[in-house]
Amino acid sequence: MVDFTLTDEQKALKEMAHDFAEKEMRPVAWEYDVDGTFPQDIIQKAWEVGLMNSHIPEEYGGAGASYFEGTLIEEELAWGCSGIQTSVGCNGLAGAPVLLGGSEEVKKKYLGMLTERPALASFCLTEPDAGSDVSGMRTRAVRKGDKYVLNGSKCFITNGGYADWFTVYAKTDPDAGHRGISAFVVPKDDTVTVDKKEDK
């Protein structure tokens, strides 16, 4: 049997996230939605009070919270505004592949970047012609010496125009279907072109 009774710490975390959503997000959610303005000031505040990057282990500067505790935060922030919460929580999606498969050097550099300041990362999987058919992606990664060259387009990338780095999925073996897909960490300044903002 799984016991979902909250500890006192978890109750306090949930309450803090709820208060933040009520005071900082709900009063401005409609204006952000109508204007399509990026909520940079809310992201800054969420980072300052510790509501971002809860999933990052302590050795990389994070809180080392459990997935359950992260879910408590995300539920409350989504109550405040699901759109803003998506931007606040997107680092978790982009950082998960780094935590799972990155070297220590990569983890320290890129996860550390998220905890040192209110930086953002984006998860880049969806493509214009391969939305839910991930194995049909067209972005390619070709090895050139000790590096890879990636070519392709992604769309509907949360925080795409504001991210400092991207977790980009590309085909390294086009004949292997979904098994021929690899994930790459791509810094913003590595010839990444951000196109028009999608009206969602």
Side-chain angles (χ1 to χ4, degrees):
M1 186 168 97
V2 178
D3 184 3
F4 288 105
T5 305
L6 301 185
T7 66
D8 289 342
E9 274 187 356
Q10 289 169 339
K11 287 176 185 173
L13 187 64
K14 181 179 168 68
E15 186 177 321
M16 179 176 79
H18 183 84
D19 287 348
F20 185 89
E22 184 174 39
K23 293 173 183 163
E24 302 293 343
M25 296 170 74
R26 281 185 87 103
V28 297
W30 177 248
E31 287 84 5
Y32 276 111
D33 197 38
V34 169
D35 295 341
T37 306
F38 191 72
Q40 185 62 51
D41 59 329
I42 295 177
I43 288 169
Q44 173 78 34
K45 290 174 186 174
W47 182 84
E48 287 172 359
V49 299
L51 291 173
M52 285 181 69
N53 307 310
S54 63
H55 62 286
I56 296 178
E58 292 176 355
E59 59 261 40
Y60 307 116
S66 69
Y67 287 111
F68 179 66
E69 290 161 344
T71 300
L72 292 175
I73 292 170
E74 290 181 7
E75 276 185 335
E76 294 301 330
L77 296 186
W79 171 81
C81 174
S82 62
I84 294 173
Q85 184 281 320
T86 300
S87 282
V88 170
C90 187
N91 285 353
L93 188 58
V98 174
L99 277 168
L100 290 170
S103 67
E104 276 304 303
E105 180 184 0
V106 167
K107 289 177 188 176
K108 285 179 183 173
K109 179 176 181 178
Y110 291 101
L111 298 177
M113 198 182 292
L114 301 178
T115 59
E116 290 166 2
R117 59 186 174 80
L120 296 171
S122 287
F123 181 86
C124 307
L125 182 66
T126 305
E127 295 188 356
D129 299 318
S132 57
D133 177 19
V134 174
S135 64
M137 76 170 55
R138 296 183 183 194
T139 300
R140 299 288 184 256
V142 178
R143 191 168 193 120
K144 302 279 186 183
D146 63 347
K147 297 185 178 188
Y148 280 88
V149 176
L150 279 68
N151 281 302
S153 297
K154 302 293 182 179
C155 63
F156 303 121
I157 306 304
T158 302
N159 298 341
Y162 303 91
D164 291 280
W165 57 270
F166 307 85
T167 302
V168 180
Y169 288 81
K171 285 271 186 92
T172 46
D173 184 354
D175 298 325
H178 67 279
R179 295 189 183 278
I181 298 172
S182 299
F184 297 86
V185 176
V186 179
K188 184 178 189 174
D189 56 359
D190 275 7
T191 63
V192 172
T193 303
V194 177
D195 207 343
K196 67 180 176 63
K197 184 180 80 168
E198 299 287 349
D199 183 12
K200 295 181 294 208

